[in-house]
Amino acid sequence: MGSAAIASASCGRQQVQKPNFIVIMTDDHTMQAMSCYGGVMQTPNLDRLAREGVRMDRCYVSNALSGPSRACILTGKLSHMNGFTDNSRTFDGDQQTFPKLLHADGYQTAMIGKWHLNSAPQGFDYWSILKGQGEYYSPLFIEEDGEHVVPGYVTDIITDKAIGFLEGRDRSKPFAMLYYHKAPHRNWMPAQRHLGMFEGHTFPEPETLLDDYSGRGSAAREQEMTIARHMWPAWDLKIMTPQELEQDYARLDDTGDANADDVKRANDMSKSYSQFRDAYNRMTAEEKAKWNKTYAPRIAEYKAMEGKASPEEMVRWKYQQYMKDYCAVVHGVDENVGRLFEYLEAEGLMDNTVIIYTSDQGFFLGEHGWFDKRFMYEECERTPMLVRYPAEIPAGSVNADFAMNIDIAPTLLDYAGVKIPKDIQGRSLRPVLAGDTPRNWRDAVYYHYYEYPSWHSVKRHYGIRTERYKLIHFYNDVDEWELYDLQEDPREMHSVYDDPEYADVRRDMHRRLKKIQKQYRDDDPDENLGSWFLGADKL
Ligand code: SGN
Ligand code: CA
């Protein structure tokens, strides 16, 4: 019995133990790849959280990008308040975060895995973070004493470190551990034991795979995240032979007569090869051999199709390859989460720990013909959220109330019995998770994305999503509005912004947007807050 328990027992009061916390976060893992959400692959260990806890069906991020989402989670505040609007920012680590507040309350805190905030973590007793995006094989970790390359596979290593932290914890204190995976972020490199696990499997195609973007504005048309044209052969599709990898792909400079598109394509190609070569060379000779054996049939298939297949056939083929790699990487997460649960079971920690599973945002798995995220469309604005805490949360519950990633901080503070600071913009989900949603719960969520011009060329936008409708404003280099009736058009294929039948809805949605911007103090939403500078491409 810890000293605190002895003290309170001697006062004649029953000891109320503070729960432990584990926030499991992945990077770019979307509901469409989770069986508990009816997705295309099996995720038995993650599903356990849904089966024994609650599955949140409407959890939204407010800025579908890694660094911004992480900053929202840490602070419980939206991007314009915490200052981290896009991935080129540096997080002001001196500001208030939930790990600091828990630490001050006596929690032992740890941060393990992908951090992606460009400044050193604060408020943690232990931290071990990936540098930038991190690598799949032999990743580089930064710790207080410097940088270390750790041999092995990133998802396994992050889990080893998480279990290591728990092993060495101070058992007299509750803990809060952020267990943040890199997987399944681009470029989707599976663990050795999962290479080829989906060979022979055909994934169902999303209805909108061959979207032609009519019915929406220029943002949907001008993005650079299509499977058809923007997936890189080496980096993304792994369709290069080891011999081709040895060659150099020259970068073109744009001073000659070459047209700008050709220059861009050639330079992307060169980048795809050099980036992939760096990642590939982190594998041991034995690992490379298995890798090459796995991908040889894919390369042969590609070479047989090249120049012969129609553009449509090519997209469908690439989609299948993308899914095979993405899902194999997710499988690695699921397996490791299972390993962590085994440890928690053995230590008797499973039931006095609030376990949250989420991703930094959702992701497009071929919907609208896309990979990546960033858009305020459902596939990535929404993110998975499962929470298990048997003391309060009924097993197998499903909840469709609006949750946001800024709610995680106040929720954990609430469970810990720590006063929630007034400036936190999220709300505690504690009653919602228990099935007792307050009557004045939110009826809309807010979104604001800033990173443009930049990767994937998704224009800046903000908007509101209510029970039935979504209003989006694309701004900066354009001034375009989109309105969706999600009941009639759940795939967001036809904006009804200019449809006279929706004139009243449109007026009402504008009013609600103004109101929610006021509530969250996004006072000047068209102001240039994005700090992205072209060339900062290793973030
Ligand atoms: C990298 C990726 C992009 C991705 C961003 C942001 N390119 O730059 O495809 O959108 O990360 O992702 S890559 O060539 O490095 O794979 S985020 O989840 O970290 O915000
Ligand atoms: Ca991400």
Side-chain angles (χ1 to χ4, degrees):
M1 200 190 275
S3 55
I6 294 166
S8 65
S10 65
C11 294
R13 277 189 286 117
Q14 210 194 333
Q15 163 71 4
V16 182
Q17 259 211 333
K18 297 211 180 212
N20 304 304
F21 301 118
I22 298 180
V23 183
I24 309 173
M25 186 155 74
T26 40
D27 194 339
D28 298 353
H29 186 203
T30 191
M31 292 171 170
Q32 304 94 286
M34 292 178 78
S35 34
C36 61
Y37 282 108
V40 296
M41 67 174 288
Q42 294 303 314
T43 45
N45 292 299
L46 294 171
D47 288 9
R48 178 176 173 192
L49 295 176
R51 209 170 48 244
E52 298 175 2
V54 59
R55 188 187 85 196
M56 299 298 284
D57 282 359
R58 283 198 186 152
C59 179
Y60 286 83
V61 297
S62 46
N63 187 351
L65 200 61
S66 167
S69 178
R70 288 156 207 274
C72 288
I73 290 172
L74 280 177
T75 60
K77 297 176 187 172
L78 298 176
S79 306
H80 63 283
M81 300 300 280
N82 67 45
F84 203 100
T85 46
D86 64 52
N87 279 339
S88 73
R89 292 272 172 180
T90 298
F91 184 67
D92 169 12
D94 291 340
Q95 66 185 302
Q96 171 183 285
T97 63
F98 82 80
K100 285 189 193 174
L101 293 166
L102 291 177
H103 191 258
D105 189 58
Y107 271 78
Q108 207 174 163
T109 52
M111 163 65 219
I112 298 151
K114 183 172 171 185
W115 171 249
H116 207 202
L117 290 169
N118 304 324
S119 58
Q122 291 188 31
F124 298 99
D125 293 299
Y126 170 72
W127 54 271
S128 180
I129 60 169
L130 292 168
K131 190 168 185 177
Q133 293 284 5
E135 295 96 0
Y136 277 108
Y137 281 87
S138 306
L140 182 74
F141 283 85
I142 314 177
E143 297 187 357
E144 242 156 320
D145 66 348
E147 299 187 351
H148 311 270
V149 171
V150 184
Y153 185 69
V154 70
T155 311
D156 301 337
I157 299 167
I158 289 172
T159 309
D160 291 344
K161 285 178 181 279
I163 293 174
F165 163 73
L166 293 176
E167 270 291 288
R169 75 190 186 279
D170 174 349
R171 282 154 206 261
S172 71
K173 290 181 177 176
F175 64 83
M177 178 172 81
L178 310 190
Y179 165 57
Y180 282 10
H181 286 289
K182 169 196 173 56
H185 189 270
R186 192 182 181 189
N187 70 330
W188 320 297
M189 290 174 78
Q192 290 282 304
R193 63 190 180 281
H194 302 141
L195 283 171
M197 70 175 283
F198 287 106
E199 264 339 296
H201 183 82
T202 305
F203 287 89
E205 288 176 5
E207 274 170 49
T208 59
L209 180 63
L210 302 172
D211 194 350
D212 65 1
Y213 316 116
S214 56
R216 275 137 301 160
S218 61
R221 285 195 302 274
E222 291 172 14
Q223 46 58 43
E224 294 176 356
M225 48 193 255
T226 62
I227 292 175
R229 288 178 298 121
H230 304 104
M231 268 195 170
W232 290 340
W235 180 246
D236 296 316
L237 293 161
K238 292 112 189 159
I239 45 179
M240 72 291 110
T241 61
Q243 297 73 30
E244 284 168 329
L245 256 195
E246 298 301 317
Q247 295 165 21
D248 266 328
Y249 278 73
R251 290 182 78 94
L252 298 180
D253 68 44
D254 47 13
T255 50
D257 327 314
N259 100 21
D261 280 354
D262 290 346
V263 171
K264 187 171 184 322
R265 204 165 306 119
N267 287 347
D268 277 357
M269 191 71 114
S270 144
K271 197 155 171 234
S272 164
Y273 271 72
S274 59
Q275 243 177 243
F276 186 71
R277 186 163 38 200
D278 291 349
Y280 176 84
N281 283 335
R282 300 187 83 88
M283 289 190 274
T284 63
E286 206 182 313
E287 287 171 338
K288 283 179 182 170
K290 181 148 189 218
W291 182 277
N292 293 336
K293 198 159 169 246
T294 306
Y295 287 102
R298 178 186 296 191
I299 297 168
E301 215 174 293
Y302 176 71
K303 296 218 183 287
M305 287 173 83
E306 217 181 353
K308 290 187 210 110
S310 68
E312 191 183 304
E313 281 166 342
M314 227 40 248
V315 170
R316 301 176 72 184
W317 184 82
K318 285 183 189 173
Y319 164 75
Q320 292 297 334
Q321 315 317 312
Y322 165 39
M323 292 301 285
K324 283 176 193 167
D325 293 337
Y326 180 96
C327 292
V329 172
V330 170
H331 185 73
V333 172
D334 191 71
E335 207 182 72
N336 272 286
V337 165
R339 187 155 70 91
L340 177 70
F341 290 170
E342 266 172 35
Y343 177 82
L344 296 177
E345 297 275 14
E347 290 285 301
L349 289 170
M350 201 66 191
D351 289 351
N352 56 0
T353 302
V354 177
I355 304 175
I356 300 188
Y357 177 73
T358 193
S359 172
D360 60 347
Q361 15 54 216
F363 209 65
F364 292 104
L365 293 184
E367 298 87 1
H368 304 292
W370 293 336
F371 65 100
D372 214 66
K373 53 268 175 171
R374 300 162 189 270
F375 274 104
M376 192 192 165
Y377 296 141
E378 288 294 287
E379 289 83 358
C380 63
E381 185 192 4
R382 213 153 57 115
T383 198
M385 183 186 262
L386 309 173
V387 190
R388 184 187 186 279
Y389 184 44
E392 290 193 16
I393 302 174
S397 37
V398 173
N399 182 297
D401 294 316
F402 281 127
M404 290 175 77
N405 58 354
I406 52 172
D407 297 336
I408 292 175
T411 303
L412 299 191
L413 295 174
D414 193 358
Y415 279 123
V418 174
K419 195 164 178 292
I420 301 168
K422 287 255 177 314
D423 59 351
I424 283 192
Q425 296 183 300
R427 283 181 73 175
S428 170
L429 292 168
R430 188 175 178 179
V432 177
L433 301 173
D436 191 14
T437 303
R439 290 182 62 185
N440 67 351
W441 192 248
R442 67 167 73 88
D443 57 7
V445 288
Y446 184 58
Y447 189 85
H448 197 153
Y449 170 81
Y450 303 82
E451 195 178 277
Y452 177 86
S454 153
W455 280 97
H456 304 298
S457 238
V458 175
K459 295 185 190 299
R460 295 180 197 196
H461 58 290
Y462 53 79
I464 181 171
R465 195 239 197 255
T466 63
E467 176 71 28
R468 177 161 174 186
Y469 300 104
K470 188 181 285 187
L471 177 69
I472 312 178
H473 184 216
F474 291 95
Y475 71 101
N476 188 238
D477 61 337
V478 288
D479 178 11
E480 293 178 16
W481 292 86
E482 292 180 5
L483 176 66
Y484 294 98
D485 180 342
L486 298 162
Q487 191 174 294
E488 299 299 316
D489 178 23
R491 310 261 175 269
E492 298 160 299
M493 297 293 280
H494 302 284
S495 169
V496 291
Y497 189 79
D498 294 317
D499 183 339
E501 279 193 20
Y502 283 87
D504 289 347
V505 172
R506 174 173 141 173
R507 202 170 313 114
D508 187 51
M509 287 297 283
H510 272 285
R511 185 186 59 76
R512 292 183 71 168
L513 174 63
K514 282 225 172 74
K515 193 171 146 216
I516 205 167
Q517 285 179 324
K518 196 160 174 223
Q519 176 198 336
Y520 287 125
R521 297 177 45 208
D522 198 0
D523 300 328
D524 194 0
D526 298 84
E527 186 194 358
N528 186 357
L529 275 181
S531 72
W532 183 264
F533 50 98
L534 287 168
D537 59 3
K538 278 315 278 179
L539 295 162

